[in-house]
């Protein structure tokens, strides 16, 4: 589904395609990238909070199954009404300073396009719970093995998945993520564990949710759909050690069996990546959408490249991702993986000689980059960038690098040839 967002902070307008598994935001500082990510994160989260207001009580319990009928037109109209009637609630839930009167979010996808999308799509929430479609516009849902107490939760997941192309849950890692885990106890966030209690806090929504997660680490004992493989890869390849949580919720970093550091003693890279590691180990699942603000924070260029590779592996395993970045290393590595996919599809395995495999091949159809750029009126326009089999160009970053290279080359040549060493 495509949404148009207007007058959000510095953003004049943007149209975003939520069907893309991997979305990238780039642009100068202060152009609204975090505003856009926070709004989308909050919108997805709010579907579950206000599910009753959608008026879609479509699921009923029948013996061991849950069944119901969904009409495409009713789904479309309910979301359209929700975006209009709950606009102020969504903005208040974000807890950012936004002019509510001029803000607008609307569906760009037409009702006809929406019908066509739904008729093509099969949404599987878990292996034994499948949304089955008929040849009409009505859906027959058979969700096996779900208890009656989970009916509303399953309904929330299902409707969110249909609205957002398979996404059922969202999680956002802000640029403040290292401080969240470092100071969570001092900030006294026990009251934030209940979603309804987070409506009246002073923190922006993703930070409040992150603080609640940090306060709840001791209860995290579930291994995710990939058996924690992505978390382990980050620890092995980037952190070169393991992160653990004690029964009291204290985080430790283990360089070896004999060497243990407290979280406050650990490097900035460890503090920055710890929230992502714990999420991937204990919470992440297919159909989750992750927002990561500036994934390059505190990372050496080599580790930025490695993290980009982990991201693409996550995408190919079924996770969804939105990142906001200023990193040329991450952008160039994404382009490398798009070209590797082109080589793979052409039957040329030369990319394997460079240390890549099929898990590191990124289809250009899965990827959507957006450029946030200020216009002459000071307002920000957000434009989608073209992606081909060679990847994409990010003008704002390329211009800065080229300008610096020009200065370097000029200084070098003048110093070397006009002022040679005697």
């Amino acid at each position: 589904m495509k949404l148009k967002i207007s007058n959000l902070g510095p953003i004049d307008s943007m149209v975003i395609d939520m069907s893309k598994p991997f979305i990238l935001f780039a642009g100068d500082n202060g152009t609204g990238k975090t505003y856009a990510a926070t709004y989308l994160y909050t919108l997805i989260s709010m579907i579950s909070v206000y599910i009753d207001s959608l008026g879609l009580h479509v699921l009923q319990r029948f013996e061991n199954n849950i069944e119901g009928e969904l009409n495409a037109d009713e789904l479309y109209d309910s979301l359209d009404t929700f975006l209009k009637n709950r606009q102020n609630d969504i903005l208040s839930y974000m807890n950012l300073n936004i002019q509510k009167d001029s803000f607008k979010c609307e569906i760009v996808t037409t009702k006809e396009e929406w019908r066509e999308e739904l008729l093509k799509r099969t949404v599987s929430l878990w292996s034994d719970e499948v949304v089955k479609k008929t040849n009409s516009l009505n859906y027959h849902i058979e969700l096996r093995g779900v208890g009656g107490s989970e009916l509303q939760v399953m309904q929330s997941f299902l409707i969110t998945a249909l609205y957002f192309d398979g996404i059922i849950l969202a999680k956002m890692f802000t640029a403040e993520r290292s401080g969240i885990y470092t100071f969570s106890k001092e900030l006294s966030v026990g009251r934030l564990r209940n979603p309804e209690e987070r409506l009246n806090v002073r923190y922006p929504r993703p930070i409040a949710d992150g603080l609640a997660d940090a306060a709840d680490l001791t209860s995290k004992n579930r291994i995710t759909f990939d058996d924690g493989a992505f978390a382990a890869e980050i620890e092995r390849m980037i952190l070169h050690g393991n992160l653990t949580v004690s029964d009291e919720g204290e985080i430790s970093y283990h360089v070896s069996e004999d060497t243990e550091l407290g979280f406050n003693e650990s490097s900035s890279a460890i503090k920055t990546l710890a929230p992502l590691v714990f999420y991937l180990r204990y919470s992440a699942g297919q159909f989750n959408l992750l927002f990561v603000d500036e994934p390059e924070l505190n990372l050496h260029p080599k580790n930025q490249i490695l993290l980009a590779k982990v991201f693409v592996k996550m995408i190919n395993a079924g996770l969804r991702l939105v990142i906001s970045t200023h990193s040329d290393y991450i952008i160039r590595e994404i382009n490398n993986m798009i070209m590797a996919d082109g080589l793979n599809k052409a039957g040329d395995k030369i990319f394997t000689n460079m240390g890549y495999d099929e898990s590191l091949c990124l289809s250009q159809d899965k990827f959507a980059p957006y450029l946030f750029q200020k216009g002459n009126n000071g307002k920000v326009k957000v434009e989608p960038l073209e992606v081909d089999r060679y990847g994409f160009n990010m003008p704002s970053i390329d211009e800065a690098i080229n300008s610096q290279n020009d200065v370097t080359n000029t200084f070098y040549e003048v110093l070397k040839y006009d002022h040679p060493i005697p």
Side-chain angles (χ1 to χ4, degrees), residues 179-181 183-184 187 189 192 203 206-216:
I180 287 174
Y181 274 55
F183 302 110
S184 61
L187 293 172
V189 294
L192 299 178
Y203 310 117
I207 294 178
D209 292 344
L211 286 167
D213 290 341
D216 201 32

Side-chain angles (χ1 to χ4, degrees), residues 122-132 140-143:
T122 297
V123 178
S124 175
L125 298 183
W126 282 273
S127 59
D128 60 345
E129 299 158 2
V130 180
V131 179
K132 296 180 179 179
H140 176 72
I141 302 103
E142 183 179 351
L143 302 174

Side-chain angles (χ1 to χ4, degrees), residues 165-179:
D165 298 275
I167 299 166
I168 62 172
L169 291 170
K171 176 65 182 173
M172 186 168 179
F173 299 95
T174 68
E176 297 85 3
R177 53 189 174 273
S178 62

